[in-house]
Amino acid sequence: MNARAAEVLQGRGQRRGLARLTPFLGPAFIASVAYMDPGNFATNIQGGAQFGYLLLWVILGASLMAMLIQHLSATLGIATGRNLPELIRERWPRVAWPYWVQAELVAMATDLAEFLGASLAFELLFHIPLIWGAVITAIVTFGLLTLQKRGFRPMEIAIAAFVGVIAAAYLVQLVKSRPGIEALGGFIPRFDGPDSLYLAVAIIGATVMPHVIYLHSALTQNRIPTHSEADRQKVAKMSRTDLLIAMGLAALINMAMLAAAAATFHSVGKTGVSDLTVAYQTLTPLLGGGAAVAFGLALLASGLSSSAVGTMAGQVVMQGLTNYSIPVWLRRTITMLPAFAVILAGLNPTRTLILSQVILSFGIPFALVPLLIFTARRDLMGVLTSSRAVQVLGWLIASLIIGLNGYLLFQTFAG
């Protein structure tokens, strides 16, 4: 793969079009999984059921913001050959360990949502107890993580396949639910009372994930060997294409989730559907068993893939911030314990999943602010230093996301 990438960078080789781009595709697909995790399922379905197509513009806006953030993270890895956690430890050594503690707590909250989503999908699809769904989820994700031993490509292909399953499942959902032309009105920015504003904030909060900001820089660092600033510029250009394809697909899938929920539930007055189990059970009488199975398969693919990606991110964060790592099987075991505790305690999976999204809100500034600071430094980034316009836009996005998540936290605890 590196040889093929080197041919492209040096202007050699006969490949054209997609074949020429293939060696550079992959990192953004792994990162994009975090934008289609079970937390997104919960917020998108609730948004579509309660408000119809009203909040489609919120998903579009959140996706565009996420694209810029992930672009900066990917570029950081390409320009410096180091990932964001490594740079935090190198530049701010006094805060490295406190940073690691909060990042681990956020990682556990991330994994809780993803692990519960997959376990719930096993229960819905195969009618097995939730605890056994959790056991199967653990086994499958262990298997996925072993692919890392074979290099980055097998893992990227596996994750891309899961993304394909999610996309195909929601194509089935759209065909069966048949959203009307009125869906286009959902791209006009507006709200319908404080509840819609609160849910819009929740959608944005479920979109930008701190762990994948750390991870994307690790996925691109030294992935394609570069020997000059010109090489790094070419790799960064290819990375932007990778990002547009993967994150564009993630945006379409999220909008399809909300549109399908609007056409299925909101259109017949079932505006109170917010629980994933209720959504699955309601789909069969409304659209037939095929739609329910497609929903379950999408949730399963989302939970399994995002759980594996979350474990990868945890490894990157620990290694980068503490210069110490533990075996991936041990990390997988530790981070899945909260999910087993929730299941054994009999807590509602969907409510716990949504609570985990609130916890994630705490971690966003810790990842986003250093990213913006480092990508603006010419001594680190060289020719890939972010432009003034990108810096201003980045800080505006960061301020908006941090402010909205602060509002979400306040409303959650005050309300």
Side-chain angles (χ1 to χ4, degrees):
M1 188 61 65
N2 283 341
R4 291 170 58 188
E7 288 182 357
V8 175
L9 293 179
Q10 295 166 15
R12 297 185 288 109
Q14 302 300 315
R15 295 181 178 88
R16 293 290 181 269
L18 184 60
R20 188 177 178 82
L21 181 62
T22 300
F24 303 90
L25 296 178
F29 279 88
I30 291 181
S32 72
V33 166
Y35 297 90
M36 297 175 278
D37 75 356
N40 294 94
F41 275 67
T43 54
N44 291 336
I45 289 170
Q46 184 177 353
Q50 189 171 353
F51 295 105
Y53 305 110
L54 180 73
L55 299 178
L56 279 172
W57 69 274
V58 176
I59 294 178
L60 177 60
S63 299
L64 292 174
M65 290 190 288
M67 283 183 185
L68 177 63
I69 293 168
Q70 295 305 138
H71 160 67
L72 291 175
S73 179
T75 305
L76 181 72
I78 294 167
T80 66
R82 285 163 287 179
N83 58 57
L84 182 56
E86 287 173 340
L87 285 170
I88 291 172
R89 173 168 56 87
E90 177 187 301
R91 300 284 167 155
W92 306 333
R94 292 184 179 181
V95 303
W97 280 88
Y99 240 90
W100 172 68
V101 171
Q102 65 81 27
E104 285 291 352
L105 293 174
V106 169
M108 284 193 175
T110 301
D111 202 57
L112 175 62
E114 294 155 352
F115 202 89
L116 282 175
S119 304
L120 183 61
F122 275 118
E123 181 188 49
L124 295 173
L125 285 169
F126 305 109
H127 308 291
I128 59 177
L130 194 60
I131 187 65
W132 288 111
V135 172
I136 298 172
T137 298
I139 294 171
V140 175
T141 51
F142 272 124
L144 277 174
L145 291 167
T146 61
L147 292 176
Q148 286 182 279
K149 296 179 181 178
R150 302 183 182 182
F152 59 81
R153 205 57 175 171
M155 188 65 168
E156 290 173 353
I157 292 172
I159 294 298
F162 277 113
V163 172
V165 170
I166 299 170
Y170 263 92
L171 180 60
V172 171
Q173 289 276 66
L174 281 178
V175 169
K176 284 185 169 290
S177 61
R178 300 178 185 176
I181 192 68
E182 63 271 19
L184 295 177
F187 294 103
I188 301 172
R190 65 194 192 283
F191 294 106
D192 183 16
D195 286 347
S196 64
L197 174 61
Y198 178 80
L199 194 51
V201 174
I203 289 172
I204 294 172
T207 300
V208 180
M209 294 290 177
H211 71 288
V212 82
I213 299 174
Y214 295 121
L215 178 63
H216 206 158
S217 59
L219 295 172
T220 56
Q221 68 173 133
N222 302 321
R223 181 180 182 274
I224 305 294
T226 56
H227 306 286
S228 66
E229 294 279 32
D231 282 353
R232 284 187 278 276
Q233 285 181 303
K234 290 178 183 177
V235 173
K237 182 179 179 180
M238 297 294 188
S239 174
R240 285 195 292 272
T241 305
D242 180 33
L243 187 72
L244 286 172
I245 295 171
M247 294 295 292
L249 180 58
L252 290 173
I253 290 171
N254 277 304
M255 287 186 278
M257 285 184 200
L258 189 141
T264 304
F265 304 127
H266 186 81
S267 62
V268 295
K270 294 185 178 294
T271 58
V273 175
S274 59
D275 187 283
L276 295 177
T277 302
V278 173
Y280 176 86
Q281 293 169 344
T282 309
L283 278 170
T284 299
L286 291 178
L287 299 180
V293 171
F295 172 81
L297 287 174
L299 181 60
L300 180 60
S302 167
L304 291 174
S305 56
S306 58
S307 186
V309 168
T311 303
M312 291 171 60
Q315 288 287 87
V316 166
V317 168
M318 175 180 252
Q319 176 69 43
L321 290 173
T322 69
N323 201 27
Y324 179 79
S325 63
I326 59 176
V328 69
W329 65 266
L330 181 57
R331 167 168 291 280
R332 171 72 275 180
T333 302
I334 293 171
T335 55
M336 71 185 183
L337 290 178
F340 274 95
V342 167
I343 292 169
L344 292 172
L347 301 179
N348 182 285
T350 301
R351 290 180 183 175
T352 305
L353 191 153
I354 292 173
L355 177 60
S356 72
Q357 303 304 297
V358 175
I359 296 173
L360 288 177
S361 303
F362 285 105
I364 290 175
F366 292 97
L368 197 47
V369 170
L371 177 68
L372 292 170
I373 292 173
F374 292 148
T375 52
R377 293 188 57 164
R378 186 161 292 277
D379 60 323
L380 281 174
M381 302 292 293
V383 294
L384 295 179
T385 305
S386 56
S387 66
R388 179 67 64 182
V390 169
Q391 291 173 33
V392 171
L393 184 57
W395 281 108
L396 286 173
I397 290 172
S399 300
L400 176 64
I401 292 173
I402 293 169
L404 289 177
N405 277 281
Y407 170 80
L408 178 62
L409 291 171
F410 174 79
Q411 288 295 319
T412 298
F413 292 110

